[in-house]
């Protein structure tokens, strides 16, 4: 089973904080994320995070790391089929 490394998880947390749209949130306690999944993936807060911007930043980050590309290849496949 895939398990995201801590160094990548820290980057995702920064992405969540950068893309928050509200100052206060009682759902995520102002962190930008609700928790972490079994795969060590961050669960972003849909109430206070701009999900589109956060996903775009995550795609940029993934495209720069070969080890992540194989696990998140689906992000780029959807983009290719949408362009056609």
């Amino acid at each position: 089973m895939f398990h995201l490394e801590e160094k990548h998880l820290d980057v995702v947390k920064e992405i969540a904080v950068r893309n928050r749209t509200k100052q206060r949130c009682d759902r995520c306690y102002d962190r930008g994320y609700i928790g972490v999944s079994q795969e060590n993936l961050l669960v972003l807060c849909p109430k206070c995070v701009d999900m589109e911007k956060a996903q775009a930043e995550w795609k940029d980050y993934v495209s720069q790391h070969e080890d992540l590309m194989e696990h998140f290849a689906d992000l780029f496949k959807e983009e290719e089929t949408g362009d056609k």
Side-chain angles (χ1 to χ4, degrees):
M1 174 161 69
F2 175 73
H3 189 79
L4 188 67
E5 295 178 37
E6 288 296 321
K7 64 181 182 180
H8 299 304
L9 183 62
D10 292 338
V11 172
V12 179
K13 287 179 182 179
E14 292 172 14
I15 290 172
V17 170
R18 263 196 309 271
N19 290 292
R20 289 192 62 225
T21 56
K22 292 184 175 185
Q23 291 284 334
R24 295 273 178 209
C25 181
D26 58 353
R27 189 168 191 185
C28 69
Y29 304 106
D30 307 328
R31 295 179 300 185
Y33 61 94
I34 297 170
V36 181
S37 71
Q38 290 180 344
E39 293 88 16
N40 209 29
L41 299 173
L42 212 62
V43 179
L44 297 178
C45 178
K47 186 175 178 184
C48 73
V49 174
D50 185 337
M51 301 298 261
E52 289 180 17
K53 286 183 181 179
Q55 187 170 10
E57 271 192 63
W58 176 242
K59 282 182 185 181
D60 285 342
Y61 181 77
V62 168
S63 67
Q64 298 169 9
H65 294 83
E66 289 290 326
D67 57 330
L68 295 176
M69 282 293 287
E70 63 185 71
H71 296 289
F72 294 100
D74 292 343
L75 289 174
F76 299 97
K77 287 180 184 176
E78 291 174 6
E79 188 176 280
E80 291 171 3
T81 58
D83 291 343
K84 292 182 180 180

